[in-house]
Amino acid sequence: MAKDMTLLWGSGSPPCWRVMIALEEKNLQGYNHKMFSFKKMEHKSEEVMKMNPRGQLPAFKHGDKVLNESYAACLYLENQFKSQGNKLIPDCPAELAMMYQRMLEGLTLHQKMIDDITYNWKVPEGEKHDSAVKRIRESLTAEIKLWEGYLQKTSGGFLAGKTFSLADVCVYPTIFTIFRCGLCEERYPKLAAYYNRLKDRPSIKASWPPTWLENPRGEDIMKDI
């Protein structure tokens, strides 16, 4: 089955990592894959563009079916291989509802993180505006506090309750990236506990971004949040 799958991906990309975690959770090791460099703009190469005309990663293909949105790929893998590997969609209606809610809210967290990183890293110093820096940072801070609150109210230790689900598959890479960018663990103890506990999950360890193995700590651009 996995031999009919191809994943084009980039190291350090939360969307790529989501799909790789899902593949590991479903015991679909052995798929074809190729890593592309964002720094070298390889995601805009002809090879990627053929599979994903947007020139974005990940690009995932199973047989003749192409899924270039990471959430779509994760949902597809769980639905196609329900009886294989770990079950990622809970049966409990309350946990199912929470899973979808947290999954989709995770897109907001991810976008606010990207807004902050992009403005700090890519906008030249002379073009930055204090008001924009303040607005973007306050928006991300409020969002992170929201997730800290969610985990305070969750008794099971995972985003949707007592079991690891697609919510964790999709949102954990973003939370990890935020801590890698210097988020203070003491200030957000529930998020920090979640972040540290899942680092040892086999699917996460097996799919760890290789460039992060070489450089475990990112820029501390979020240490003041």
Side-chain angles (χ1 to χ4, degrees):
M1 288 178 286
K3 291 181 180 179
D4 294 332
M5 298 178 181
T6 299
L7 177 68
L8 309 183
W9 61 287
S11 181
S13 158
C16 294
W17 199 6
R18 291 171 193 150
V19 180
M20 297 173 86
I21 293 171
L23 286 161
E24 289 291 330
E25 289 286 338
K26 303 311 293 182
N27 289 340
L28 291 166
Q29 297 88 355
Y31 56 90
N32 303 296
H33 66 93
K34 184 175 180 179
M35 185 173 76
F36 292 80
S37 169
F38 291 109
K39 286 185 178 180
K40 297 177 182 178
M41 296 297 290
E42 290 177 349
H43 55 296
K44 300 298 183 182
S45 66
E46 184 180 353
E47 186 175 358
V48 174
M49 296 291 283
K50 280 182 178 178
M51 194 182 297
N52 186 352
R54 294 181 184 274
Q56 297 172 342
L57 298 172
F60 177 74
K61 187 175 183 180
H62 179 210
D64 59 355
K65 296 170 286 294
V66 176
L67 297 103
N68 291 324
E69 290 295 330
S70 60
Y71 272 46
C74 291
L75 284 163
Y76 171 83
L77 288 168
E78 173 59 20
N79 279 285
Q80 282 294 111
F81 303 97
K82 290 180 181 179
S83 61
Q84 184 168 321
N86 295 317
K87 184 179 176 64
L88 298 174
I89 294 180
D91 292 322
C92 170
E95 288 194 7
L96 177 64
M98 186 64 72
M99 183 203 77
Y100 283 120
Q101 179 66 29
R102 295 293 179 257
M103 277 181 70
L104 295 175
E105 282 187 282
L107 293 171
T108 300
L109 175 65
H110 183 76
Q111 187 58 55
K112 291 185 178 184
M113 176 193 74
I114 292 298
D115 291 344
D116 192 276
I117 291 173
T118 301
Y119 204 83
N120 273 284
W121 279 357
K122 294 192 176 181
V123 176
E125 285 297 324
E127 297 178 17
K128 289 181 181 176
H129 298 282
D130 290 343
S131 59
V133 172
K134 183 174 183 288
R135 182 179 67 252
I136 292 168
R137 180 52 56 91
E138 286 178 348
S139 179
L140 178 59
T141 300
E143 185 68 24
I144 292 171
K145 287 179 178 178
L146 202 60
W147 287 87
E148 174 72 10
Y150 290 158
L151 283 167
Q152 285 177 350
K153 298 173 184 176
T154 302
S155 59
F158 297 104
L159 293 180
K162 297 179 181 178
T163 57
F164 185 87
S165 71
L166 280 178
D168 302 288
V169 171
C170 291
V171 181
Y172 182 78
T174 299
I175 291 174
F176 184 96
T177 304
I178 291 171
F179 276 106
R180 188 172 182 272
C181 288
L183 187 69
C184 177
E185 293 189 31
E186 290 76 17
R187 203 170 293 146
Y188 300 96
K190 293 296 184 181
L191 266 176
Y194 172 79
Y195 151 75
N196 284 307
R197 185 173 65 256
L198 263 63
K199 281 195 290 189
D200 291 326
R201 190 171 179 88
S203 63
I204 289 171
K205 290 179 73 173
S207 57
W208 203 270
T211 53
W212 291 359
L213 290 172
E214 301 163 9
N215 182 21
R217 192 70 183 178
E219 298 288 335
D220 285 337
I221 60 173
M222 297 181 186
K223 63 182 178 180
D224 298 326
I225 291 179

